[in-house]
């Protein structure tokens, strides 16, 4: 199967894909990396398994690729997801937690996250992929896709949940040393083909995101990979 400017791992099932990602997260935590987490439902199992594999995250810095503009204890919060599935299961909490303040005005939260992130290189950036090809909260053909200066911006959702978002921009995402896409399920197969094998296209934001100076890895289950051509 061919992908563009990325390495590909295809696993038998969703659980095995989560395990591969958990191993990368646990190793990154162990070595004191700056780790950016993703939201959505797909990463939950990977976070649970990462907590089992490494109980001490005290050396790690944790960031987010995007956040829904809700308080941290809201069910829809990406921070909240990590809290429930990962942090609450650890012996030692991450030494540096850089939460996007979803409870604040999105414009202000984005400016303050931009300032917080500036000067840091993300070692590991985990990304999901929407069925429409969006990554973080960069939706198809959105103005944020052409951003060149700012590292974090407010964004309008084009899918559920319909709450405003704050998202890292393409330059912030591309600056990561290692970008890992985790995508599972047949409903994502078309988006995977566009984002990973197709040409760069603002209609499929995932196709615009590759690490500038590092590596990009896609960990997919067989269903998500089913539209990639040999
Ligand atoms: C979010 C995300 C988003 C997510 C995809 C996939 O806050 O919603 O960070 O980019 O990764 O929408 O989400 P699922 O895993 O729920 O399909």
């Amino acid at each position: 199967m061919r992908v563009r400017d990325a390495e590909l791992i295809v696993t038998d099932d969703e659980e095995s894909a989560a395990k591969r990602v958990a191993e990368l997260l646990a190793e990154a935590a162990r070595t004191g990396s700056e780790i950016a987490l993703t939201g959505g439902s797909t990463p939950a199992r990977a976070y649970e398994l990462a907590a089992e594999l490494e109980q001490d995250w005290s050396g790690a810095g944790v960031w987010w690729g995007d956040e829904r503009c809700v308080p941290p204890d809201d069910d829809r919060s990406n921070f909240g997801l990590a809290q429930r599935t990962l942090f609450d299961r650890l012996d030692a909490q991450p030494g540096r937690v850089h939460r996007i303040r979803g409870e604040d005005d999105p414009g202000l939260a984005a400016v303050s996250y931009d300032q917080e992130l500036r000067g840091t290189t993300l070692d590991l950036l985990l990304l999901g992929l929407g069925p429409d090809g969006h990554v973080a909260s960069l939706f198809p053909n959105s103005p944020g896709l052409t951003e060149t200066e700012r590292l974090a911006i407010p964004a309008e959702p084009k899918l559920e949940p319909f709450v405003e978002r704050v998202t890292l921009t393409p330059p912030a995402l591309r600056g990561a040393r290692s970008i890992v896409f985790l995508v599972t399920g047949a409903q994502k197969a078309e988006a995977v083909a566009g984002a990973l094998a197709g040409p760069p296209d603002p209609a499929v934001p995932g196709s615009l995101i590759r690490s500038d100076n590092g590596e990009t890895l896609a960990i997919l289950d067989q269903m998500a990979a089913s539209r990639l051509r040999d």
Side-chain angles (χ1 to χ4, degrees):
M1 288 176 202
R2 297 230 181 96
V3 290
R4 176 177 50 79
D5 298 334
E7 275 177 62
L8 178 65
I9 293 176
V10 180
T11 64
D12 286 345
D13 54 29
E14 211 173 327
E15 179 72 7
S16 315
K19 189 155 177 285
R20 294 300 283 260
V21 169
E23 286 163 358
L24 295 176
L25 289 170
E27 176 63 16
R30 209 171 285 136
T31 55
S33 297
E34 299 301 323
I35 303 167
L37 300 176
T38 183
S41 52
T42 313
R45 184 64 182 144
Y47 295 164
E48 290 173 0
L49 292 169
E52 282 175 23
L53 290 172
E54 180 53 64
Q55 285 279 302
D56 179 358
W57 281 52
S58 57
V62 181
W63 303 81
W64 276 264
D66 73 326
E67 183 57 279
R68 290 96 177 263
C69 293
V70 294
D73 58 357
D74 188 290
D75 279 353
R76 298 163 295 181
S77 164
N78 288 343
F79 168 83
L81 170 77
Q83 176 96 59
R84 292 187 301 277
T85 57
L86 176 58
F87 305 153
D88 284 352
R89 298 160 191 245
L90 299 177
D91 282 345
Q93 292 299 299
R96 304 171 298 285
V97 176
H98 302 273
R99 182 170 78 73
I100 300 175
R101 292 181 57 86
E103 66 275 42
D104 289 355
D105 169 79
L108 296 177
V111 167
S112 97
Y113 210 60
D114 180 310
Q115 287 166 355
E116 198 164 337
L117 179 61
R118 214 158 272 273
T120 297
T121 300
L122 297 173
D123 297 301
L124 175 61
L125 165 67
L126 182 62
L127 289 176
L129 186 72
D132 59 351
H134 80 264
V135 277
S137 285
L138 294 168
F139 292 94
N141 300 310
S142 62
L145 291 169
T146 53
E147 178 64 42
T148 56
E149 300 297 327
R150 290 177 294 173
L151 300 180
I153 54 172
E156 290 296 327
K158 294 287 181 329
L159 285 180
E160 294 255 7
F162 288 102
V163 289
E164 271 192 273
R165 316 285 183 98
V166 172
T167 184
L168 296 195
T169 58
L173 299 174
R174 293 185 193 121
R177 285 203 177 89
S178 175
I179 296 180
V180 177
F181 285 92
L182 169 63
V183 197
T184 59
Q187 76 284 6
K188 303 276 182 76
E190 203 62 52
V192 162
L196 295 171
D201 178 357
V204 187
S207 69
L208 304 177
I209 306 303
R210 300 290 189 273
S211 173
D212 276 339
N213 295 308
E215 53 169 27
T216 304
L217 173 65
I219 300 181
L220 313 174
D221 70 353
Q222 279 184 8
M223 299 306 280
S226 60
R227 297 275 171 87
L228 290 174
R229 284 183 294 116
D230 285 330

